[in-house]
Amino acid sequence: KVADILRGNPQTELFYSDKNSDAATEQKLREADLDLLVFGGTRIVPPRMFNLPRHGSINAHPGLLPQARGSLPVAWSIVKGIDMGVTLHKVAKELDAGKTIFRDRLELLAAATFDEAIAASC
């Protein structure tokens, strides 16, 4: 998992917010003077925030892009009958459309529950 990998780096600061577009979160990101922002499991992050880091931002998206773009990719993968997985991509102005860095298909049993699919993709 991305957080586990980053947690081992002494230059990494982990920050969690459930209000990803509010003024307090934006101020914290500005004060952090980031080289790179990695996020996932969030709602849409506005450009004024994802453009703050010197090298941009990366999103850990819980779906295979481009097929599972947008919100609720696990649910839509089930509804559409498409493979589930995770994609790391550069964040761009258009939602879930930045350059793909990494994709991995998840092997799930057909009888997997929705909660098991969510846990596997995050």
Side-chain angles (χ1 to χ4, degrees):
K1 302 197 186 219
V2 175
D4 293 334
I5 294 167
L6 296 175
R7 194 172 285 114
N9 183 336
Q11 296 178 327
T12 300
E13 179 181 346
L14 295 178
F15 170 67
Y16 297 94
S17 174
D18 60 353
K19 297 176 182 169
N20 56 12
S21 63
D22 72 348
T25 299
E26 182 176 356
Q27 184 61 32
K28 177 138 175 98
L29 293 175
R30 286 186 185 285
E31 290 169 359
D33 191 31
L34 301 170
D35 290 322
L36 180 69
L37 174 63
V38 179
F39 59 85
T42 63
R43 297 286 182 201
I44 296 171
V45 175
R48 73 176 194 277
M49 293 169 76
F50 71 67
N51 285 324
L52 286 172
R54 281 179 276 290
H55 301 292
S57 295
I58 294 173
N59 181 31
H61 182 78
L64 292 177
L65 295 175
Q67 299 87 349
R69 285 180 66 193
S71 190
L72 302 173
V74 173
W76 284 113
S77 294
I78 293 168
V79 169
K80 294 177 181 178
I82 59 176
D83 288 339
M84 288 188 224
V86 63
T87 305
L88 292 179
H89 67 92
K90 287 285 284 181
V91 178
K93 185 177 180 181
E94 188 177 348
L95 183 66
D96 295 332
K99 181 180 177 182
T100 296
I101 298 166
F102 174 83
R103 277 175 47 130
D104 192 21
R105 183 179 170 278
L106 295 173
E107 297 289 336
L108 294 173
L109 299 174
T113 67
F114 182 74
D115 288 339
E116 289 168 340
I118 291 286
S121 66
C122 295

